[in-house]
Amino acid sequence: MARFDLPESQLRTYRPDVPEPPGFDSFWRETLADARAQATGIRRTPATAPLDLVTVEDVLFPGFAGDRVRAWLVLPSGAPEPLPAVVEFVGYGRGRGLPHERLHWPAAGFAQLIVDTRGQGSTSGTGGQTADPHGAGPATAGFLTRGIENPFDYYYRRVFTDAVRAVDALREVPEVDPSRIAVTGNSQGGAIAIAAAGLSEGLVGALPNVPILCDLPRVIGLTDADPHAELTRYLAVHRDATERVFDTLSYFDGVAFARRATAPALFGAALMDTIAPPSGVFAAANQWGAGAETITYAWNGHEAGEGAHWVHQAEWLRARVRQLAAASVAAR
């Protein structure tokens, strides 16, 4: 692993003109309206887990096309309600896993919704349980090229819609303060969090860490690391599909969602990360609609700051939550 991207001094001001299709907003407005018209309500079932200081529930909520998406709802026992909350999206190939694996946010006093990624959960970790009953066209191994030649068929149209519906679902939980919900995730989870932030109103913050799927015209082909390399392998075979592929991707680039974000963000970027190149991360952070801070890890790859970065996230989000609570009291 070696330095390969722009120096940090240039990354801090890097604002590429990533193209957007003219129908971007109507595409997502209609996609979300269709999803919200399909089904409403969530199902909460107590989960069996050897945990005494938190309450765990197995949640089903309606996502894209009304498909049922699974998540863990973890609530800290004894914390004053309504609770601030975090919706967490998981990394590439992972599922929601087991509820005891992610207790840091409940330990800090937040409710947490840990969301499955449809069709994933069989590559690493302890699994997922949400199917993806849709599919279209040829694809390389992995998820980034599923339905890649039509934005209506593209896999991440379903995933990003599920993310917005996860925020909708958490707002229905009476133990949660709907005005104090944040979104977070690492890698693929960071990309999903960016989309959720760009498509959801009223969030308190966003915490994307080393997100993929940002500034795609640059990062595709910049390194040979997966998952972006799935797209280069696809184009190496489908040589006449470049225009169609990049047209589809323009509806899903994190920079476009970042421009529409209405809550502030804290990003994490690793300067030796070949999976989520830092120029892609900064392209989104520097165009974040509500302002973003970016913490860098100069000597790290895709692991970035790991547990050290979560401390920054928790401190940042606690400050945001307290600021919002103080403003609410002052307004009364």
Side-chain angles (χ1 to χ4, degrees):
M1 183 172 59
R3 290 282 174 83
F4 67 97
D5 210 336
L6 301 173
E8 184 168 357
S9 59
Q10 293 181 32
L11 290 170
R12 291 286 174 185
T13 58
Y14 179 62
R15 295 174 59 90
D17 184 19
V18 177
E20 293 180 13
F24 181 93
D25 290 311
S26 60
F27 173 85
W28 282 108
R29 184 170 53 249
E30 292 165 12
T31 293
L32 295 177
D34 288 346
R36 286 170 170 147
Q38 293 289 331
T40 58
I42 65 172
R43 191 180 80 186
R44 302 169 58 182
T45 304
T48 301
L51 301 169
D52 295 329
L53 302 182
V54 296
T55 300
V56 180
E57 296 182 351
D58 189 358
V59 167
L60 278 172
F61 67 88
F64 177 87
D67 300 336
R68 305 302 282 181
V69 180
R70 287 193 174 274
W72 296 120
L73 176 63
V74 188
L75 303 171
S77 300
E81 298 175 359
L83 294 161
V86 173
V87 183
E88 182 172 358
F89 306 104
V90 298
Y92 193 75
R94 302 183 69 91
R96 63 175 179 166
L98 299 173
H100 68 267
E101 296 176 295
R102 293 182 177 86
L103 296 178
H104 41 289
W105 287 111
F110 291 80
Q112 185 177 21
L113 189 70
I114 307 164
V115 183
D116 244 357
T117 307
R118 63 168 59 223
Q120 297 190 30
S122 299
T123 302
S124 61
T126 47
Q129 296 175 295
T130 300
D132 182 22
H134 309 272
T140 59
F143 302 95
L144 263 65
T145 62
R146 294 188 179 184
I148 188 61
E149 296 196 28
N150 188 320
F152 288 92
D153 296 332
Y154 193 42
Y155 171 73
Y156 282 95
R157 179 181 180 228
R158 304 188 289 278
V159 172
F160 291 172
T161 301
D162 292 345
V164 176
R165 296 295 283 140
V167 174
D168 292 348
L170 193 56
R171 286 186 168 136
E172 296 181 25
V173 173
E175 296 94 333
V176 167
D177 181 348
S179 70
R180 294 190 296 164
I181 295 175
V183 291
T184 191
N186 297 329
S187 190
Q188 174 187 253
I192 300 171
I194 289 172
L199 296 171
S200 302
E201 297 290 336
L203 295 174
V204 70
L207 302 157
N209 189 35
V210 291
I212 63 170
L213 298 175
C214 296
D215 192 8
L216 290 168
R218 173 177 170 82
V219 304
I220 295 172
L222 184 61
T223 77
D224 60 0
D226 282 334
H228 293 128
E230 294 172 16
L231 289 154
T232 61
R233 288 194 292 271
Y234 183 90
L235 291 170
V237 174
H238 301 274
R239 297 173 180 85
D240 62 345
T242 297
E243 184 175 349
R244 295 191 300 275
V245 165
F246 279 93
D247 177 69
T248 292
L249 291 172
S250 67
Y251 289 87
F252 302 91
D253 197 302
V255 173
F257 297 113
R259 292 167 178 155
R260 291 160 173 80
T262 57
L266 177 68
F267 278 74
L271 301 190
M272 300 178 77
D273 187 350
T274 58
I275 294 173
S279 55
V281 178
F282 274 94
N286 291 345
Q287 299 185 61
W288 195 263
E293 304 169 44
T294 304
I295 297 174
T296 57
Y297 299 93
W299 305 105
N300 288 95
H302 199 53
E303 77 283 359
E306 299 184 293
H309 186 65
W310 180 81
V311 175
H312 293 296
Q313 291 179 317
E315 291 172 346
W316 184 91
L317 187 55
R318 278 181 161 175
R320 284 285 306 152
V321 166
R322 289 169 184 155
Q323 180 183 15
L324 185 63
S328 177
V329 170
R332 291 174 186 170

